Amino acid sequence: MAIIEGLDGPTVCGILKDQIPEGLRLPVKEVCMDLSDIQSSIARAVFPNAMITRDEFHVMQAGVDALEERAKGADGAGAPEWAARGLDAFT
Protein backbone atom coordinates (compact mmCIF):
# COMPACT_ATOMS: atom_id res chain seq x y z
CA MET A 1 0.00 0.00 0.00
CA ALA A 2 1.22 3.47 -0.80
CA ILE A 3 -0.04 6.99 -0.27
CA ILE A 4 1.32 9.30 -2.92
CA GLU A 5 0.10 12.85 -3.35
CA GLY A 6 -1.55 13.52 -6.68
CA LEU A 7 -2.98 11.27 -9.35
CA ASP A 8 -0.61 11.88 -12.24
CA GLY A 9 -0.23 8.34 -13.57
CA PRO A 10 3.33 8.48 -14.92
CA THR A 11 4.63 10.17 -11.76
CA VAL A 12 2.98 7.63 -9.45
CA CYS A 13 4.20 4.73 -11.64
CA GLY A 14 7.74 6.07 -11.49
CA ILE A 15 7.67 6.45 -7.72
CA LEU A 16 6.26 2.97 -7.16
CA LYS A 17 8.71 1.36 -9.59
CA ASP A 18 11.60 3.16 -7.86
CA GLN A 19 10.43 2.15 -4.39
CA ILE A 20 9.40 -1.47 -5.06
CA PRO A 21 12.02 -3.69 -6.71
CA GLU A 22 10.88 -5.58 -9.80
CA GLY A 23 11.53 -8.87 -8.00
CA LEU A 24 8.80 -7.94 -5.52
CA ARG A 25 6.40 -6.41 -8.07
CA LEU A 26 6.29 -9.19 -10.67
CA PRO A 27 5.08 -11.99 -8.36
CA VAL A 28 2.09 -9.94 -7.11
CA LYS A 29 -1.01 -11.92 -8.08
CA GLU A 30 -3.83 -9.52 -7.22
CA VAL A 31 -4.36 -5.81 -6.60
CA CYS A 32 -7.64 -4.65 -5.05
CA MET A 33 -8.76 -1.06 -5.61
CA ASP A 34 -11.67 1.28 -6.11
CA LEU A 35 -13.11 2.05 -9.56
CA SER A 36 -10.54 4.67 -10.59
CA ASP A 37 -9.30 4.22 -14.15
CA ILE A 38 -6.09 6.06 -13.28
CA GLN A 39 -5.36 3.71 -10.39
CA SER A 40 -6.11 0.74 -12.62
CA SER A 41 -3.63 1.90 -15.27
CA ILE A 42 -1.01 2.49 -12.57
CA ALA A 43 -1.57 -0.96 -11.08
CA ARG A 44 -1.30 -2.63 -14.50
CA ALA A 45 1.97 -0.82 -15.22
CA VAL A 46 3.53 -1.45 -11.80
CA PHE A 47 2.17 -4.97 -11.23
CA PRO A 48 1.87 -6.38 -14.78
CA ASN A 49 1.15 -9.96 -13.69
CA ALA A 50 -1.54 -9.06 -11.16
CA MET A 51 -5.27 -9.48 -11.60
CA ILE A 52 -7.12 -6.22 -10.90
CA THR A 53 -10.03 -6.66 -8.49
CA ARG A 54 -12.54 -3.90 -7.76
CA ASP A 55 -13.45 -3.84 -4.09
CA GLU A 56 -17.06 -4.71 -3.36
CA PHE A 57 -17.78 -1.53 -1.39
CA HIS A 58 -17.12 0.68 -4.41
CA VAL A 59 -18.95 -1.66 -6.79
CA MET A 60 -22.02 -1.66 -4.50
CA GLN A 61 -21.76 2.11 -4.05
CA ALA A 62 -21.79 2.60 -7.85
CA GLY A 63 -24.85 0.35 -8.12
CA VAL A 64 -26.74 2.21 -5.40
CA ASP A 65 -25.81 5.56 -6.97
CA ALA A 66 -27.18 4.36 -10.32
CA LEU A 67 -30.42 3.19 -8.69
CA GLU A 68 -30.81 6.51 -6.87
CA GLU A 69 -30.34 8.42 -10.12
CA ARG A 70 -32.91 6.21 -11.83
CA ALA A 71 -35.34 6.68 -8.94
CA LYS A 72 -35.00 10.47 -9.19
CA GLY A 73 -35.72 10.47 -12.92
CA ALA A 74 -34.44 12.95 -15.47
CA ASP A 75 -36.44 15.84 -14.00
CA GLY A 76 -35.59 15.04 -10.39
CA ALA A 77 -39.22 14.24 -9.57
CA GLY A 78 -38.81 10.50 -9.57
CA ALA A 79 -39.55 7.78 -12.07
CA PRO A 80 -43.32 7.14 -12.25
CA GLU A 81 -42.98 3.36 -12.27
CA TRP A 82 -40.88 3.52 -9.10
CA ALA A 83 -43.36 5.81 -7.36
CA ALA A 84 -46.17 3.38 -8.17
CA ARG A 85 -44.23 0.74 -6.21
CA GLY A 86 -43.60 3.08 -3.28
CA LEU A 87 -39.92 3.48 -4.15
CA ASP A 88 -39.97 7.20 -4.88
CA ALA A 89 -38.29 8.07 -1.57
CA PHE A 90 -35.22 5.96 -2.36
CA THR A 91 -32.61 8.11 -0.64
Side-chain angles (χ1 to χ4, degrees), residues 73-89:
D75 60 359
E81 67 272 19
W82 287 55
R85 295 186 180 111
L87 299 173
D88 53 330

Side-chain angles (χ1 to χ4, degrees), residues 1-2 16 28-44 47 49-60:
M1 176 183 285
L16 290 173
V28 172
K29 295 181 183 195
E30 185 175 12
V31 175
C32 185
M33 66 182 57
D34 66 14
L35 302 176
S36 166
D37 289 336
I38 293 171
Q39 287 183 15
S40 180
S41 65
I42 292 167
R44 289 183 198 289
F47 304 103
N49 299 321
M51 179 176 67
I52 305 299
T53 302
R54 306 305 177 135
D55 74 83
E56 64 183 61
F57 168 79
H58 288 94
V59 172
M60 292 299 296

Side-chain angles (χ1 to χ4, degrees), residues 19-20 23 27 46 50 53 60 62 69 75 89:
Q19 297 294 317
I20 306 169
V46 177
T53 302
M60 292 299 296
E69 285 301 312
D75 60 359

Side-chain angles (χ1 to χ4, degrees), residues 64-73 76 78 82 86-91:
V64 168
D65 289 348
L67 286 172
E68 287 177 348
E69 285 301 312
R70 178 66 179 113
K72 289 177 189 173
W82 287 55
L87 299 173
D88 53 330
F90 197 70
T91 57

